[in-house]
Amino acid sequence: MERGEAAPPPAEEKGEEEDDYGYRLFPDRNKKPQSFLVRSLFTFHNRCQLMLRMTLDTNPYAQLLLEALKQSGCTVFNDRHFSCENCDGCVSGGFDSATSQIVLCQNNIRQQSHMNRVVTHELIHAFDHCRAHVDWFKNVKHLACSEIRAANLSGDCTLMNEIARFKFGLKGHHQTCVRDRAIRSILAVRNVSKETAEKAVDEVFDACFNDLEPFGRIPHSKTDAKRAYRDFQNRDRYNANL
């Protein structure tokens, strides 16, 4: 299970026990699905579904990724590939590679801008899962690469988001943010040491940071994302005419 925006667990919890691959953060994963009537009674679930629909219909980051997934042979269907669930208090979302499903933490996502960012982050994991043979569970470098790409391309490290976290920097701040968030993500879902996570991120950082597919650029804002989406559509039309 890959996650979105999780804080690492306390160091004392990281013993030698068998790694659960982050599923402990998503307790609803192993529960029997509730009926539509029961789910509809919960405001969190309704709000999550409405915000998800808004993201898929209007957010250029998500729209580009959905189109790229479709072109790669992995069409995304709302009812099949997204699930609004209650999660551990420290996570906002995750990508369950075993089911190719994106989990949205309905108890932790309260704003549309947050939903936009979480959906985008997890769709990047889905895109990587679709286009490459990613060993999510056993190869920490594979996980590190996708986490670097998700932090870099999803808007996680935009200037406004960093200011909201009271983090400020000048030259190289975006790269620092991407590295830090990738390391935090690995520590949240894998029973590895901080040194192991840092080593994995550092070893693949340059290649994965510069892998800008399918955006073709780092979208630092919605305006950038709209341009990237337009360029992606034009690239598709150009290739169709070759």
Side-chain angles (χ1 to χ4, degrees):
M1 172 73 79
E2 319 321 319
R3 42 61 64 215
E5 306 201 349
E12 63 268 20
E13 293 182 8
K14 288 179 176 280
E16 297 300 323
E17 68 274 9
E18 185 178 356
D19 199 332
D20 67 0
Y21 303 115
Y23 280 93
R24 69 189 180 283
L25 304 175
F26 304 87
D28 284 358
R29 288 277 81 192
N30 295 320
K31 292 181 180 179
K32 183 178 179 181
Q34 295 174 317
S35 69
F36 175 78
L37 178 60
V38 172
R39 286 186 286 116
S40 67
L41 295 176
F42 291 91
T43 303
F44 281 165
H45 189 81
N46 287 338
R47 182 179 63 189
C48 178
Q49 290 286 349
L50 289 172
M51 288 194 295
L52 170 61
R53 175 48 57 194
M54 179 67 71
T55 296
L56 299 181
D57 288 346
T58 66
N59 184 263
Y61 290 87
Q63 290 174 326
L64 191 158
L65 285 160
L66 291 171
E67 185 65 27
L69 279 158
K70 183 178 181 180
Q71 288 190 21
S72 299
C74 299
T75 300
V76 174
F77 298 98
N78 186 0
D79 292 341
R80 163 65 181 85
H81 294 106
F82 293 95
S83 180
C84 290
E85 301 177 8
N86 290 320
C87 307
D88 181 88
C90 70
V91 295
S92 300
F95 175 67
D96 187 349
S97 57
T99 60
S100 297
Q101 193 169 48
I102 289 171
V103 182
L104 301 171
C105 297
Q106 61 193 19
N107 55 319
N108 294 330
I109 301 176
R110 298 181 177 86
Q111 296 178 336
Q112 187 64 51
S113 60
H114 191 187
M115 175 65 78
N116 293 343
R117 196 164 65 250
V118 173
V119 170
T120 300
H121 185 112
E122 304 308 335
L123 280 174
I124 291 170
H125 289 322
F127 179 75
D128 288 346
H129 184 68
C130 177
R131 70 170 180 156
H133 297 291
V134 182
D135 186 352
W136 298 104
F137 299 116
K138 298 299 182 181
N139 193 324
V140 69
K141 289 183 182 180
H142 286 193
L143 173 60
C145 187
S146 192
E147 291 295 356
I148 290 166
R149 282 175 33 76
N152 189 28
L153 301 174
S154 67
D156 285 350
C157 289
T158 61
L159 177 61
M160 293 308 298
N161 284 332
E162 282 293 271
I163 290 175
R165 301 177 188 119
F166 300 101
K167 293 185 178 181
F168 308 92
L170 299 174
K171 186 176 181 180
H173 182 71
H174 180 77
Q175 289 89 332
T176 299
C177 172
V178 169
R179 179 182 181 274
D180 289 348
R181 294 187 72 78
I183 291 169
R184 285 167 59 86
S185 295
I186 294 170
L187 292 175
V189 297
R190 294 293 180 271
N191 186 26
V192 299
S193 67
K194 185 176 181 181
E195 291 72 21
T196 297
E198 289 176 338
K199 184 173 185 289
V201 168
D202 289 340
E203 287 183 354
V204 301
F205 189 86
D206 287 344
C208 299
F209 183 84
N210 290 306
D211 180 359
L212 305 179
E213 286 300 311
F215 289 90
R217 70 182 77 193
I218 298 175
H220 292 290
S221 65
K222 271 192 175 182
T223 299
D224 283 346
K226 287 178 181 178
R227 291 195 187 105
Y229 186 29
R230 186 166 58 247
D231 290 346
F232 183 86
Q233 291 174 312
N234 290 335
R235 180 175 61 181
D236 182 43
R237 295 188 188 101
Y238 174 79
N239 292 335
N241 290 325
L242 290 179

